[in-house]
Amino acid sequence: MLLHIVARGKIGRSAEAELVERYLKRIQWDTKVTELPDEGGTIPDPKMTPARTVVLDEGGKVMSSVKFANTLGRWRDDGVRETQFLIGAADGHSDEIKRNADLLFSFGPATWPHMMCRAMLAEQLFRATAILSGHPYHREGARS
């Protein structure tokens, strides 16, 4: 399954860009990043392939890493070819985009800069694929 991050704004060369690249390189699944301008541009149509759309939104569902991984694994096992993860600009997403999402996903009630969300999402995608493959990266419940 292709994990496709569709993000508003240009990340450029930054610490966040380095984190995104670091985590995406570690993912064994296919990955892709599409950058759109803050306004306008065309979001790739998920109807062109069997796809799911995850919209990052502060009002979305908060999920544990394991539950998030299990959701992605279920979609993969159901034959989904692509999952798009939409990251909005400063003003978020339109009501239409949120209505059409398969999942509204949140990193919690705090407001996060959208460039940081991109890095956090890349890490969670790596963590989810690591969980699904049995890789020891995720140590739920481990204490130091």
Side-chain angles (χ1 to χ4, degrees), residues 59-113:
K61 186 174 185 177
V62 177
M63 303 170 80
S64 71
S65 296
V66 170
K67 184 162 174 97
F68 181 63
N70 289 337
T71 298
L72 293 180
R74 186 176 64 251
W75 289 348
R76 177 203 57 198
D77 295 346
D78 288 345
V80 172
R81 291 189 189 160
E82 178 178 338
T83 298
Q84 294 179 354
F85 299 88
L86 306 184
I87 300 173
D91 293 328
H93 300 282
S94 70
D95 289 338
E96 179 184 4
I97 287 174
K98 290 192 271 189
R99 260 193 319 275
N100 291 326
D102 293 289
L103 173 64
L104 289 177
F105 181 62
S106 175
F107 287 125
T111 301
W112 296 97

Side-chain angles (χ1 to χ4, degrees), residues 6-143:
V6 181
R8 296 273 177 199
K10 302 288 183 192
I11 201 167
R13 291 198 288 175
S14 64
E16 295 91 349
E18 289 176 22
L19 282 172
V20 170
E21 186 176 328
R22 180 183 305 162
Y23 285 113
L24 292 183
K25 279 183 179 178
R26 296 172 76 182
I27 296 173
Q28 298 299 311
W29 299 11
D30 292 333
T31 63
K32 179 179 177 179
V33 176
T34 300
E35 290 185 328
L36 298 174
D38 285 343
E39 294 182 17
T42 303
I43 294 173
D45 186 354
K47 295 179 186 119
M48 298 303 287
T49 62
R52 294 289 187 273
T53 301
V54 176
V55 173
L56 275 74
D57 184 78
E58 63 186 8
K61 186 174 185 177
V62 177
M63 303 170 80
S64 71
S65 296
V66 170
K67 184 162 174 97
F68 181 63
N70 289 337
T71 298
L72 293 180
R74 186 176 64 251
W75 289 348
R76 177 203 57 198
D77 295 346
D78 288 345
V80 172
R81 291 189 189 160
E82 178 178 338
T83 298
Q84 294 179 354
F85 299 88
L86 306 184
I87 300 173
D91 293 328
H93 300 282
S94 70
D95 289 338
E96 179 184 4
I97 287 174
K98 290 192 271 189
R99 260 193 319 275
N100 291 326
D102 293 289
L103 173 64
L104 289 177
F105 181 62
S106 175
F107 287 125
T111 301
W112 296 97
H114 62 276
M115 296 302 176
M116 184 61 79
C117 283
R118 213 183 291 193
M120 292 165 54
L121 175 60
E123 191 281 336
Q124 283 298 294
L125 292 173
F126 170 65
R127 184 176 297 274
T129 58
I131 289 168
L132 292 170
S133 70
H135 187 282
Y137 177 76
H138 180 73
R139 295 184 300 258
E140 184 167 301
R143 294 187 184 249

